[in-house]
Amino acid sequence: GYINAIAEASFKEIQKYDVKLPNKNVKKPTSFKKAGNSEQPQWFQAELKEKDGMLSFKTWQRIDQSKITPAIRSKALRCHHLYDIKRDLSAKNRVVVNGSKQHSDTYTDTTSPVAGQMMVRLFLAITAYRKWDTIQLDLTNAYLHAPIQDIVYIIIPEGFPGAGEIALLQKAAYGTKQGARRFYDFTVTVLQQIGLTTCPNDPCLFRYLRNGSVCFLLQYVDDALIAGDPPAIASLQKEMRKYLQCKFEKPKDFLGLD
């Protein structure tokens, strides 16, 4: 399977780090240094979760710094720590590559199919009309599941082993110009391998048939809803866990909709 033993162990550990902030009015840090000086330890815990996730996915490969040429150094992209507060008041940290400085020879496709608002509304309406069971797919570090497939150099961010060194990016990290496309391509490959088929009218809608029962998966960037017959949903969950670091939960926030 895709998930190795190290990733599985790390995934179990990072679940312990989610600690709520006292309220939504807490000031969000604007840098790694300011987060370290914050009175809220939750930011540090959020950083630990992000760090463990990125390392378990082997997001980049450290390289011999003596072999770094001026050309490579000029293309190396900085990474930034971004901080936010989730709806449940959990602190969130995301390491993002500064893709605005990415050279044109380090990416190809950048466009990614996105489910239209009409399809989202139709999907929800049919789900409600048929009284289908519905679950939401939550992927851990979604984009990091996907290989980047291009030669992209980054500067290892603060808080990680080798911070400040130049490394070769291995996964489609957030912020890269091709990140969304690489993630979509990876997702389609996995879903098709499991047995889902793509709807001919929408590349973000997939159908899954299993022993006479059916369910549908609607993907919107790195969010997804699954609705249909309980046996098909249960079978799909089992198969997806073989390839993805994911969890399934009752829908509570999809595209900003409760």
Side-chain angles (χ1 to χ4, degrees):
Y2 178 78
I3 307 175
N4 57 35
I6 296 177
E8 288 184 4
S10 177
F11 180 63
K12 293 177 182 177
E13 284 298 313
I14 62 180
Q15 302 309 303
K16 304 174 183 178
Y17 297 148
D18 278 327
V19 176
K20 304 291 190 301
L21 290 160
N23 58 70
K24 64 180 180 181
N25 296 320
V26 172
K27 186 176 181 180
K28 292 181 285 189
T30 56
S31 68
F32 180 79
K33 182 178 180 180
K34 290 182 178 180
N37 294 330
S38 172
E39 296 180 356
Q40 304 295 336
Q42 291 86 349
W43 298 120
F44 176 68
Q45 292 167 331
E47 290 170 349
L48 287 178
K49 180 176 180 179
E50 180 72 355
K51 178 181 177 180
D52 280 0
M54 298 196 81
L55 292 179
S56 70
F57 276 103
K58 297 180 173 58
T59 307
W60 53 75
Q61 176 184 338
R62 296 178 66 178
I63 56 181
D64 186 348
Q65 299 300 290
S66 66
K67 297 181 180 180
I68 301 298
T69 64
I72 291 176
R73 191 173 299 278
S74 68
K75 293 182 179 181
L77 304 172
R78 292 193 175 277
C79 300
H80 304 286
H81 287 266
L82 300 182
Y83 300 87
D84 203 356
I85 302 174
K86 299 181 181 180
R87 285 197 171 194
D88 65 356
L89 297 183
S90 294
K92 180 178 180 179
N93 170 234
R94 174 79 73 201
V95 173
V96 178
V97 176
N98 185 7
S100 65
K101 302 293 184 180
Q102 198 168 341
H103 286 244
S104 59
D105 61 351
T106 63
Y107 60 90
T108 49
D109 293 337
T110 60
T111 58
S112 176
V114 176
Q117 288 296 317
M118 183 60 70
M119 176 56 72
V120 173
R121 293 173 183 172
L122 182 60
F123 182 87
L124 295 175
I126 294 176
T127 297
Y129 177 77
R130 291 183 175 271
K131 295 182 170 62
W132 274 337
D133 284 4
T134 308
I135 59 173
Q136 187 167 353
L137 170 65
D138 182 11
L139 277 176
T140 303
N141 296 93
Y143 279 21
L144 302 187
H145 283 78
I148 194 164
Q149 301 177 1
D150 300 288
I151 298 177
V152 179
Y153 293 96
I154 63 162
I155 299 174
I156 298 177
E158 296 173 288
F160 287 82
E165 293 181 3
I166 293 177
L168 181 63
L169 198 61
Q170 300 288 295
K171 299 298 176 66
Y174 288 90
T176 56
K177 289 186 179 295
Q178 65 269 58
R181 180 68 196 201
R182 292 288 178 258
F183 174 68
Y184 172 79
D185 291 342
F186 171 83
T187 302
V188 171
T189 299
V190 170
L191 295 180
Q192 290 179 344
Q193 184 171 343
I194 291 173
L196 287 90
T197 55
T198 309
C199 174
N201 297 320
D202 195 312
C204 295
L205 181 64
F206 303 86
R207 185 179 66 167
Y208 181 71
L209 292 172
R210 181 64 63 185
N211 298 326
S213 63
V214 62
C215 67
F216 295 86
L217 182 148
L218 180 66
Q219 179 181 350
Y220 190 95
V221 191
D222 58 353
D223 284 328
L225 283 178
I226 301 172
D229 301 324
I233 292 178
S235 176
L236 180 56
Q237 286 178 287
K238 181 180 178 180
E239 291 300 316
M240 292 186 76
R241 287 193 177 102
K242 296 178 181 178
Y243 300 91
L244 305 168
Q245 283 198 27
C246 59
K247 58 183 179 180
F248 302 91
E249 55 192 9
K250 183 178 180 180
K252 55 185 178 181
D253 178 20
F254 186 70
L255 307 184
L257 300 174
D258 294 325

